[in-house]
Amino acid sequence: MAHLNKSWLVVTALLVATCAVPSARASEPPADLCSLLPAGEVSKALGQAYDSPQKSVAPRPYANTAEGTDCNYSAKGSKLWFRAYVDPSPSAATELFAKLGKFYSPQTPVASLGDEAYFDPQHALHVRKGKVRFYLNLDPVNSAPTVEKQLKDLAGRVVGRL
């Protein structure tokens, strides 16, 4: 009887330990990629009211790659373009991020944002976090330093949800 109680104690302890340890696996991005960037947060970060995003399919960058999602936010005299892709794996996303980056040179690296990030010459922000790649572009660019700060703030919010 004592042996049975000891066995149950070990099984119970293992079960509790297994359930108590959070999963180390990264969470999957949401099916609606536009939900990563709510219009209310866009409005707050950019200082004017933006409409809910107009969602459409973003083209595949190369054959046999994933389609993405375009989320276009409009405000009076301004437009924010958020494009996101979910690749099959972090390594596939890393490879595509590097390959596509050759079209956006020279790059200005951005530290501490996702796994890698940079501004392109037009001050649009490109970010990779795990298997997700995304792009933020604000038009018009009235003040590059201000726009870059605003886009980094928005990208940080997106990365925080991935």
Side-chain angles (χ1 to χ4, degrees):
M1 185 71 157
H3 178 67
L4 185 59
N5 283 340
K6 196 179 223 182
S7 295
W8 276 109
L9 182 62
V10 169
V11 168
T12 302
L14 286 173
L15 182 61
V16 168
T18 301
C19 294
V21 175
S23 174
R25 185 174 172 228
S27 63
E28 288 294 313
D32 177 7
L33 294 174
C34 294
S35 71
L36 291 168
L37 193 57
E41 289 185 8
V42 170
S43 298
K44 185 176 178 183
L46 301 181
Q48 64 178 324
Y50 279 78
D51 296 332
S52 294
Q54 295 298 310
K55 189 166 117 176
S56 60
V57 175
R60 301 170 193 273
Y62 295 100
N64 300 318
T65 61
E67 290 181 329
T69 301
D70 277 338
C71 311
N72 288 292
Y73 303 78
S74 296
K76 186 176 182 180
S78 182
K79 178 182 169 187
L80 176 71
W81 180 15
F82 172 51
R83 175 175 277 183
Y85 291 90
V86 179
D87 294 311
S89 68
S91 62
T94 300
E95 183 180 320
L96 272 170
F97 194 77
K99 191 174 181 181
L100 291 165
K102 294 175 184 174
F103 296 105
Y104 298 100
S105 293
Q107 300 173 359
T108 303
V110 178
S112 304
L113 185 59
D115 296 322
E116 52 187 325
Y118 64 87
F119 280 105
D120 66 25
Q122 284 71 45
H123 308 286
L125 182 58
H126 304 251
V127 181
R128 183 187 65 81
K129 170 71 171 155
K131 65 181 188 175
V132 177
R133 295 175 291 113
F134 67 91
Y135 166 88
L136 287 166
N137 186 6
L138 184 62
D139 185 43
V141 176
N142 296 322
S143 165
T146 300
V147 166
E148 288 181 0
K149 182 181 180 313
Q150 292 169 325
L151 293 180
K152 282 195 289 190
D153 177 51
L154 290 171
R157 294 169 188 264
V158 172
V159 166
R161 291 186 173 96
L162 294 173

